Amino acid sequence: MFGPYDIVTIGNAGMLRDVFDAVAAIMGGDDYATSMVVVGLVGVLWGGVMSAVSNSLMTTTKWVLAMTVITMALFTPKASVRIVDRLDFAPGGGSSIIVDNVPFGLAYFAHLTTSLGDRFTGLFETTFSPPAVASYQQNGMLYGAGLMAQATKFEVQDNAVTESLSSYMQNCVFYSVLQGRMRMDDVMRAEDMWQVVSTQANAPSLSFVLTTEGTGGASVIEREIVTCETGAITLNDMLTDDIEAGSTGWAGRLKSWWDGTSGGGTDPTTSAFLATQIGSSHDFLFGSSGANGTEVLRQQAMINAFINSGKDFAGQTGNDAVMQEFVRVRTEKRAQEAYKFQGLQAQKWVPLLHSVFELLYIAMFPIAFLLMLSPMYATVLKGYFSGLVWLSSWGPCFVILNTIMMRNASVEMQGICPTGVTVVCQLGVVSVESQVSQMAGYLSMSVPFITTGIMFGAGKLQGLATSLLSVPQRAAAQGAEELATGNISHGNLSFDNLSYGNQSHSSLSAYSYNDSISTDMGRMSGHTAGGSGYNASSSGEV
């Protein structure tokens, strides 16, 4: 048995293993051997007919030789494949799966094309030199930007800490602002909100309710009123412990969000790995250096606690204006999340299409091989293996697109948040990630066409240009027509209308003119069968 041959994929290892197992089982069974015999008999009959028509054995001889070579080279030898997944969430990545008894032709050509595509993808990323969080080959499309957008949703996990922090925000921070002891603008623009509020919202006259777990564990809750200055020290320790513990569970949810699987969040190694990636994403997107992932998560938790506490504070004090403002902020955030979800689906659609094509090409090898044994062997061989090459060429295009989009996201986010995420610009960060995701998803649709044009000629790109430009061209043409003619139509509804036998003669209606105001209320008019007309008033008089 030859191999093992590496089959390189990005986030598709599990399905590839199942497909290779299925192919090995199908092509190793007796039913498949019978199918090969049937195809061979059909080929013999075809060869006999062609020889009789052409009075020559050359065509039949070529087919017999081709069938023999294809069978001995592509089917008879067996090989092992090692499926290497570059998009592995675990620290270190690069997990591999071994599958045995795969036909040599499939194993070798899949290895050759995927390894070549992986090598060129790596060369492109080496040239662009992105950090790990911006690397398509390691993490997929727009991983770093998506990671920061997900981080904006991080909140305090423990109920006791949540209650204490909410009480501290309402009774210490907001009242310090109302008393003029600190400026709201300083809080809104603080790069480290907790450091600002814990040192400035410490008036001796202010206090809050500190909620802690009692000696009986989480089921026993103790509450005491403490001064803001004293309670901030205890609350700081509670926050530190909660964020470290909460990031472990959050890591599992983030893993599910990104790669569609579950688990992994209980592993401290994975949580530490995520914290490092969050810090690296922060450095790349905001142009800073040495960001700590835990500090980034704490800032996001404080921002969300500040927003939620502000809403509660406004409701308790009866300040409708403040209440409306906080509701507006939360509504905008939900809308941004909806847009981000749509963009995320768009950006994953084309890579998913690549995965589907890859799986289908490999899964269809048993059928393709039978056709390779038929007289159309040359066409099938060329089409099948050129398809594998075409799929492998998508990787470098995704690298270029991912690099452009990530650098654009970095420029936009630095313009909104020059040094890091604050209350003022948190929604802006989510908005930028949403817009970049949507644009990346739209541009990703051009990758299949671009690679087709490279392989089969620039003429194939004409269809791409027509497809991509049709939407803006149609919109521009419609807008120009409305502007030129003055006929603007929007939001009209027409349903179940019928018009039949209508005629209009200019000689009869050309000089009709009426500028009088007319009101007709409660009256019914009509004509009888005899031709006389009548009017009935609202009182019933005819």
Side-chain angles (χ1 to χ4, degrees):
M1 184 178 295
F2 296 93
Y5 296 108
D6 287 345
I7 310 296
V8 184
T9 184
I10 297 181
N12 212 25
M15 288 299 297
L16 276 178
R17 175 196 58 203
D18 295 340
V19 168
F20 274 111
D21 281 337
V23 170
I26 291 173
M27 300 187 74
D30 294 336
D31 291 340
Y32 193 80
T34 303
S35 301
M36 292 176 61
V37 173
V38 171
V39 173
L41 291 175
V42 173
V44 170
L45 292 176
W46 170 85
V49 173
M50 293 301 297
S51 297
V53 172
S54 62
N55 197 24
S56 173
L57 295 176
M58 183 59 65
T59 303
T60 304
T61 302
K62 287 183 179 179
W63 167 73
V64 171
L65 290 174
M67 184 179 67
T68 303
V69 171
I70 291 173
T71 302
M72 299 301 295
L74 302 184
F75 175 75
T76 302
K78 303 301 179 184
S80 298
V81 297
R82 180 170 51 225
I83 303 171
V84 180
D85 193 348
R86 297 299 190 202
L87 187 55
D88 190 344
F89 192 81
S95 63
S96 59
I97 301 171
I98 301 292
V99 179
D100 297 324
N101 297 317
V102 178
F104 175 79
L106 176 62
Y108 183 74
F109 278 101
H111 155 72
L112 188 64
T113 53
T114 59
S115 297
L116 189 62
D118 178 68
R119 183 170 300 179
F120 273 102
T121 301
L123 287 175
F124 272 88
E125 288 209 314
T126 301
T127 303
F128 287 118
S129 301
V133 293
S135 170
Y136 169 78
Q137 196 173 26
Q138 294 185 35
N139 296 303
M141 186 74 72
L142 299 181
Y143 174 73
L147 191 63
M148 282 305 303
Q150 287 294 314
T152 61
K153 297 189 291 186
F154 184 79
E155 296 183 0
V156 173
Q157 307 296 307
D158 185 81
N159 290 332
V161 183
T162 301
E163 290 184 19
S164 300
L165 185 59
S166 177
S167 179
Y168 181 84
M169 287 289 182
Q170 295 180 46
N171 295 283
C172 299
V173 177
F174 293 147
Y175 275 107
S176 293
V177 172
L178 293 175
Q179 293 176 0
R181 298 178 181 274
M182 59 187 301
R183 298 173 63 248
M184 178 61 78
D185 191 62
D186 293 339
V187 180
M188 298 284 283
R189 299 184 182 278
E191 299 172 19
D192 187 346
M193 182 186 291
W194 177 245
Q195 193 276 332
V196 171
V197 299
S198 62
T199 55
Q200 296 187 24
N202 54 6
S205 60
L206 298 178
S207 59
F208 72 102
V209 179
L210 180 66
T211 304
T212 58
E213 295 180 2
T215 56
S219 60
V220 179
I221 298 298
E222 296 180 354
R223 294 180 176 87
E224 61 176 325
I225 298 176
V226 297
T227 63
C228 295
E229 182 178 11
T230 303
I233 299 175
T234 304
L235 186 55
N236 179 69
D237 296 334
M238 294 170 61
L239 279 171
T240 302
D241 294 339
D242 181 81
I243 291 173
E244 290 180 355
S247 62
T248 301
W250 187 74
R253 293 193 295 272
L254 181 63
K255 183 178 187 297
S256 302
W257 158 76
W258 187 250
D259 63 10
T261 61
S262 60
T266 58
D267 184 0
T269 306
T270 302
S271 301
F273 176 67
L274 276 177
T276 302
Q277 289 188 312
I278 292 172
S280 299
S281 299
H282 188 278
D283 289 347
F284 175 78
L285 292 171
F286 300 108
S288 58
S289 60
N292 183 288
T294 303
E295 294 175 354
V296 174
L297 291 179
R298 186 178 71 173
Q299 173 74 348
Q300 296 298 337
M302 293 300 301
I303 291 174
N304 291 322
F306 177 80
I307 294 175
N308 293 330
S309 300
K311 179 180 177 181
D312 295 338
F313 180 77
Q316 293 174 12
T317 57
N319 191 330
D320 293 336
V322 177
M323 170 71 81
Q324 292 175 5
E325 176 63 16
F326 273 94
V327 170
R328 182 189 66 80
V329 171
R330 299 298 288 177
T331 302
E332 287 183 358
K333 186 173 182 180
R334 290 193 184 98
Q336 293 292 348
E337 288 298 319
Y339 289 132
K340 185 185 72 60
F341 177 77
Q342 295 173 6
L344 183 64
Q345 297 305 307
Q347 79 184 42
K348 285 190 174 182
W349 183 82
V350 174
L352 177 61
L353 182 64
H354 177 270
S355 298
V356 171
F357 281 168
E358 185 178 54
L359 292 170
L360 287 175
Y361 261 88
I362 294 174
M364 293 299 290
F365 181 76
I367 297 177
F369 181 76
L370 290 178
L371 295 176
M372 293 175 196
L373 300 180
S374 69
M376 64 178 92
Y377 61 89
T379 302
V380 177
L381 271 171
K382 178 182 177 182
Y384 186 81
F385 293 114
S386 63
L388 291 177
V389 174
W390 172 64
L391 287 173
S392 299
S393 65
W394 290 28
C397 289
F398 283 133
V399 168
I400 298 173
L401 177 61
N402 180 66
T403 301
I404 294 173
M405 291 293 101
M406 280 295 292
R407 295 194 184 281
N408 180 72
S410 176
V411 172
E412 294 289 339
M413 288 186 183
Q414 287 183 42
I416 296 173
C417 303
T419 55
V421 184
T422 63
V423 177
V424 174
C425 63
Q426 187 195 53
L427 287 176
V429 171
V430 179
S431 177
V432 168
E433 194 273 338
S434 300
Q435 295 170 9
V436 171
S437 296
Q438 293 177 55
M439 181 57 66
Y442 182 73
L443 293 178
S444 294
M445 298 179 185
S446 66
V447 170
F449 301 99
I450 292 175
T451 53
T452 300
I454 293 173
M455 289 191 61
F456 303 107
K460 298 290 184 179
L461 295 178
Q462 295 177 358
L464 166 65
T466 302
S467 174
L468 292 182
L469 296 177
S470 61
V471 175
Q473 285 175 348
R474 185 165 58 250
Q478 183 176 357
E481 181 181 357
E482 292 181 352
L483 179 64
T485 61
N487 297 323
I488 300 177
S489 180
H490 178 73
N492 299 319
L493 176 64
S494 180
F495 178 75
D496 202 19
N497 298 318
L498 177 63
S499 180
Y500 177 78
N502 299 319
Q503 294 184 2
S504 178
H505 299 279
S506 61
S507 61
L508 299 179
S509 62
Y511 300 102
S512 177
Y513 179 79
N514 190 345
D515 64 351
S516 301
I517 298 176
S518 176
T519 302
D520 195 345
M521 300 176 61
R523 181 179 66 91
M524 182 178 68
S525 63
H527 292 83
T528 67
S532 61
Y534 67 89
N535 288 300
S537 65
S538 59
S539 63
E541 182 181 358
V542 178

